[in-house]
Amino acid sequence: MRLLKVATCNLNQWAMDFDCNMKNIKASIAEAKAAGAVIRLGPELEVTGYGCEDHFLELDTVTHAWECLKELLVGDWTDGILCSIGMPVIKGAERYNCQVLCMNRRIIMIRPKMWLANDGNYRELRWFTAWKQREHLDEFQLPIEISEALDQTSVPFGYGYIQFIDTAVAAEVCEELFSPLPPHAELALNGVEVFMNASGSHHQLRKLDIRLNAFMGATHARGGVYMYSNQQGCDGSRLYYDGCACIVVNGDVVAQGSQFSLRDVEVIVSQVDLDAVASLRGSISSFQEQASCKVKVSSVAVPCRLTQSFNLKMTLSSPKKIMYHSPQEEIAFGPACWMWDYLRRSGASGFLLPLSGGADSSSVAAIVGCMCQLVVKEIAKGDEQVKADAIRIGNYTNGQFPTGSKEFAKRIFYTVFMGSENSSEETKRRAKQLADEIGAWHLDVCIDGVVSAVLSLFQTVTGKRPRYKVDGGSNAENLGLQNIQARMRMVLAFMLASLLPWVHSKPGFYLVLGSSNVDEGLRGYLTKYDCSSADINPIGSISKMDLRLFLKWAATNLGYPSLAEIEAAPPTAELEPIRSDYSQLDEVDMGMTYEELSVYGRMRKIFRCGPVSMFKNLCYKWGTKLSPAEVGEKVKYFFKYYSINRHKMTVLTPSYHAESYSPEDNRFDLRQFLYNSRWPYQFKKIDEIVEGLNGDSVAFPEEAGNSEKEVGVVAANSEDPSAGL
């Protein structure tokens, strides 16, 4: 037997905070060495943090990374252990995303990334060059300061692997695993048995199984030990890196780290038998045949052993059941951990949330409550960093610290119900009840006086006073009256967030939380600069349908029973007067259901459909319930209001990224914000197709799960409640 102990980790790095990052790197190496591991793998770009973005263009960033690496190498950190360290490296005129492989105070080789992530949230080609030389290893001249400190002038640079006396080890960096021709396939044929994947992979709902299946598939048919390391936490942007460091042997997961955690450092260790890899490969005829005619990959020889012989004192790691969270748990834990990082790193002393008693703001409140629960649990487990942060944020003194989530919430979480003459007693009651269940400091504020003052000013200036539509006013008047309420709430929220800590003799300021969901952003069903305008928004990339499922789950699993009643209530903005024959409802205002919006969003972004392609696809999806003409009208209606309101995405509050059809304009969904909302060419094409189908016999397959509710036709108002404003 060739027994090998390996370690990988989740690290909560912070872009451009080299002290924080080095502290975590050193802690992970120390923990790996203490466990007896001889290989330690860290995340992609762990020295700088993955999310530095245009800071990567600064020479300082690369220089500081080398300074940090020197600190590791002149100390005893790499003694007796192979460490893969992620950092940017400049070679000649090009900048590369690299894994620097070090051992015994020497750099063995530098492995640049060959296939860069450049879609969705990723823009690596903006900052890095892909390494394209596969035939040989170049010689890289080390910076003078490093060379003098290490007494080493150059190192091999490029695509290759390290050949030890008893095994071969190679790096495969993040995106390379998911490329059509991943390096591990060729490396396996060259005898590499241990693969180290350093990654900077963000959380997205229902994504983890795709990632884990890739790790398992990499070694299932060709054998090998596949190590995966990831960042975990908010490193300064909308993304939450969701950890889940793992070790896979011959297609089986033998170790898995947490996906969501408040810990800064989590190391997982496994004891593996490399003879099991050799045995599997020897049993696969096609592997043997392809290995015999392989393309040779360059290697660097290191004359030392990593493995130990048969030893009963060393226990082999066995396959384990993979841990997957439900989507509801992902919504609870992912944004909660992201918010905790944002809170502790921003210098704020808490959150303020305009709590309407509706589904969206209640979801945000529940996530804050979940965050408080996680903090208290982690303190109980002995995490000193979480404890120190909580003491500072909660302004604890005399050795006190959080011992209960409700008590902690009382110190760091304000909720405010900003009611008007259009608000119902039911939503007011639900907001208060939920705040009490969480433990938040709750305020009940009536904004009628402020709104009336603004309207009086308007009347003084213009000589006219607008009326609601139900009282005989025009669409423009109705819209203006709704928007002024929404915008006054935004102004009041920021005022309270900045001054309430002062009122209660607390230091600092509060972060204002937004609560618009991804579907409302896609449709533009929000007022520009209303309560959707905030410091951060934990649900801005989560669909209404998923939020409703979350509320049901949270009512029981988080211990907030009022959420069940909130989920069952019909969504309403409560911006118009309530009459015996009229009550404002979101889906009626929008002219489409939230279920339909989710379908439109996925087809527009994930499946890259324009109006015509979406129409054709929905004719099949909805063809058993709607005629082609009805489908066409729905598609045109969606694209009309999507394009009218696209400008609102340019000022969308920074939101936790969770959904692959997010319309977020800043990083993820890059499109113009001034459209011809009539779409004359595309809509004409739809009309022509519909006309061509008239009179034809069209057969649509019955689709599993298709229902009247899914495609129900909603009466559409002629005016969007917030169009263009």
Side-chain angles (χ1 to χ4, degrees), residues 224-496:
V225 177
Y226 205 95
M227 303 168 60
Y228 172 78
S229 176
N230 194 14
Q231 291 193 177
Q232 185 174 61
C234 166
D235 81 338
S237 73
R238 295 161 172 80
L239 304 183
Y240 178 80
Y241 300 93
D242 61 338
C244 203
C246 63
I247 299 168
V248 179
V249 179
N250 292 348
D252 293 319
V253 175
V254 297
Q256 179 186 2
S258 65
Q259 187 177 11
F260 308 109
S261 174
L262 303 186
R263 285 174 286 178
D264 284 342
V265 178
E266 180 182 4
V267 177
I268 61 170
V269 181
S270 284
Q271 180 81 29
V272 300
D273 177 17
L274 294 183
D275 278 356
V277 175
S279 176
L280 176 62
R281 290 177 175 178
S283 70
I284 303 173
S285 177
S286 59
F287 184 93
Q288 298 288 303
E289 291 298 317
Q290 291 184 9
S292 69
C293 58
K294 62 183 175 292
V295 175
K296 185 171 176 56
V297 176
S298 300
S299 63
V300 178
V302 176
C304 72
R305 295 173 57 90
L306 294 182
T307 63
Q308 297 185 35
S309 301
F310 175 69
N311 184 349
L312 286 179
K313 294 181 180 179
M314 302 177 71
T315 304
L316 285 178
S317 302
S318 56
K320 62 180 295 182
K321 183 179 180 181
I322 300 173
M323 170 63 185
Y324 289 114
H325 288 285
S326 69
Q328 294 90 334
E329 291 172 326
E330 291 184 81
I331 292 171
F333 301 140
C337 293
W338 178 78
M339 290 170 68
W340 176 246
D341 279 342
Y342 201 101
L343 177 61
R344 69 190 180 113
R345 289 170 171 171
S346 68
S349 52
F351 295 118
L352 183 137
L353 171 68
L355 182 58
S356 70
D360 294 334
S361 62
S362 297
S363 294
V364 174
I367 292 170
V368 176
C370 178
M371 182 200 78
C372 294
Q373 293 180 18
L374 291 175
V375 168
V376 171
K377 288 178 182 177
E378 204 60 43
I379 292 174
K381 293 178 183 177
D383 192 308
E384 291 299 322
Q385 183 61 59
V386 174
K387 182 178 179 179
D389 288 332
I391 290 172
R392 173 179 54 83
I393 294 168
N395 197 31
Y396 288 88
T397 57
N398 301 321
Q400 294 180 317
F401 58 88
T403 56
S405 63
K406 293 184 72 172
E407 181 271 331
F408 185 51
K410 197 76 170 181
R411 287 176 174 262
I412 64 133
F413 188 31
Y414 280 109
T415 56
V416 52
F417 179 83
M418 293 185 272
S420 73
E421 60 184 358
N422 302 319
S423 303
S424 67
E425 286 299 318
E426 288 79 6
T427 53
K428 179 180 178 180
R429 175 185 55 79
R430 289 197 292 261
K432 177 67 166 63
Q433 185 177 353
L434 177 59
D436 290 343
E437 290 171 356
I438 294 170
W441 189 292
H442 186 70
L443 298 173
D444 185 356
V445 178
C446 179
I447 65 170
D448 287 339
V450 180
V451 173
S452 179
V454 173
L455 290 177
S456 295
L457 175 62
F458 179 85
Q459 186 174 10
T460 300
V461 171
T462 66
K464 292 189 175 183
R465 192 175 185 93
R467 295 177 297 167
Y468 289 103
K469 195 171 183 179
V470 293
D471 296 327
S474 64
N475 287 323
E477 294 172 76
N478 196 60
L479 180 60
L481 287 170
Q482 292 183 68
N483 285 343
I484 193 61
Q485 296 171 70
R487 288 176 177 139
M488 285 298 99
R489 286 172 173 147
M490 184 270 289
V491 173
L492 181 58
F494 276 97
M495 182 179 180
L496 291 171

Side-chain angles (χ1 to χ4, degrees), residues 26 73 77 122 131 159 201 240 244 309 321 324 363 370 386 472 480 518 528 532 552 578 622 644 652 683 707 715:
K26 288 178 178 178
L73 291 172
W77 299 100
Y122 297 103
W131 180 255
Y159 170 56
S201 186
Y240 178 80
C244 203
S309 301
K321 183 179 180 181
Y324 289 114
S363 294
C370 178
V386 174
V518 70
K528 206 171 186 180
S532 64
K552 292 179 180 178
I578 300 172
W622 292 346
I644 285 174
L652 197 69
F683 287 2
S707 67

